[in-house]
Amino acid sequence: MRRKLVAGNWKMHGSHTTNAELLSGIIGSGPYGCDVAVCVPFPYLSETAVTLARSQIRWGAQDCSKHEQGAYTGEVSVGMLVEFGCRYVIVGHSERRQFHAEGDQLVADKAKAALSRGVTPIVCVGETLAQREAGETESVVKRQLSAVIHTLGHCAGEMVVAYEPVWAIGTGRTATPEQAQAVHALLRAQLRAATPQADAMKILYGGSVKPDNASTLFGQADIDGGLIGGASLKASDFVAICRAAG
Ligand code: PGA
């Protein structure tokens, strides 16, 4: 049985005051029967690390540079994330792909940079509504994952994959458990062809996961938890989703 992971993706939300309230709500409702993490904006990593230090909750970032250091204004290296105790970093989120023109190879390079410093990349893949309607879901997610598998080589088994259909992110429109499971099964098959660790790997679902739909989604054979956006900003919702995972 794979242990589930529920990771909050705070996106560009938060403040000193609301973060403290949210984190104490999450800590106070533990322990959890699944792995729990929050991926916070860079400026809040420090306070998050201090607040969560003695808890079972892990933390991470939402992006990283593929470079170790250098003249890359505005970028943050994985080495810096390590200094703040990050366990995870999200790479290839559809909002990065869409608003920052990140392509498959850049996403793969970021995942490799993360693993090279012992930080687990949560690699996001997912199709747009137009791609789904054109019957391209399978080819899109396979192409996105294949770039990462190829670049990580024998380390591919160490990443976490997140399937996030773009049309379900922040829209309130969730993939049905069957739709999500079908794509997760495809991704698992692709991973099996690439690494002997495939059956131990976590494939998260993301896209409008809420307390009322989390348990059916997490009940699917190949869904190993969730990457949670909007509902990760309210302690009671996030806690309920963590409880649905175990
Ligand atoms: P959502 O976002 O839960 O608000 O749909 C998920 C994500 O973008 O990771």
Side-chain angles (χ1 to χ4, degrees), residues 127-237:
E127 81 288 2
T128 62
L129 185 58
Q131 288 165 334
R132 173 162 283 262
E133 285 173 348
E136 294 167 2
T137 299
E138 178 169 351
S139 63
V140 169
V141 298
K142 280 191 167 168
R143 189 202 71 223
Q144 291 172 333
L145 185 59
S146 131
V148 186
I149 288 173
H150 184 77
T151 299
L152 296 186
H154 66 277
C155 296
E158 289 165 41
M159 71 176 142
V160 168
V161 176
Y163 169 55
E164 296 209 316
V166 179
W167 48 271
I169 295 177
T171 58
R173 193 176 157 187
T174 322
T176 65
E178 295 73 26
Q179 280 174 323
Q181 167 57 26
V183 178
H184 281 234
L186 286 173
L187 296 172
R188 180 89 59 201
Q190 189 178 1
L191 292 168
R192 277 195 193 114
T195 167
Q197 289 158 272
D199 284 300
M201 291 176 69
K202 296 190 206 309
I203 308 179
L204 312 183
Y205 169 79
S208 300
V209 178
K210 306 285 175 216
D212 62 358
N213 60 24
S215 34
T216 33
L217 284 162
F218 297 164
Q220 303 299 306
D222 289 292
I223 299 186
D224 308 310
L227 183 56
I228 319 300
S232 74
L233 298 172
K234 197 172 155 203
S236 57
D237 284 356

Side-chain angles (χ1 to χ4, degrees), residues 5-14 19 22-23 26 35-42 44-45 48 52 57-64 88-97 99-100 122-125 162-166 168-170 204-210 218 225-235 237-239 241-242:
L5 165 65
V6 175
N9 172 11
W10 289 6
K11 308 194 181 190
M12 200 171 71
H13 294 287
N19 300 347
L22 177 53
L23 290 175
I26 299 169
D35 293 339
V36 178
V38 289
C39 294
V40 310
F42 295 129
Y44 299 135
L45 280 173
T48 300
L52 297 181
I57 321 293
R58 304 248 174 80
W59 59 94
Q62 300 167 14
D63 184 34
C64 64
Y88 298 101
V89 60
I90 299 170
V91 298
H93 190 280
S94 63
E95 287 150 17
R96 301 290 317 171
R97 293 180 191 261
F99 302 129
H100 300 271
I122 300 177
V123 178
C124 300
V125 300
Y163 169 55
E164 296 209 316
V166 179
I169 295 177
L204 312 183
Y205 169 79
S208 300
V209 178
K210 306 285 175 216
F218 297 164
L227 183 56
I228 319 300
S232 74
L233 298 172
K234 197 172 155 203
D237 284 356
F238 189 64
V239 165
I241 293 169
C242 293

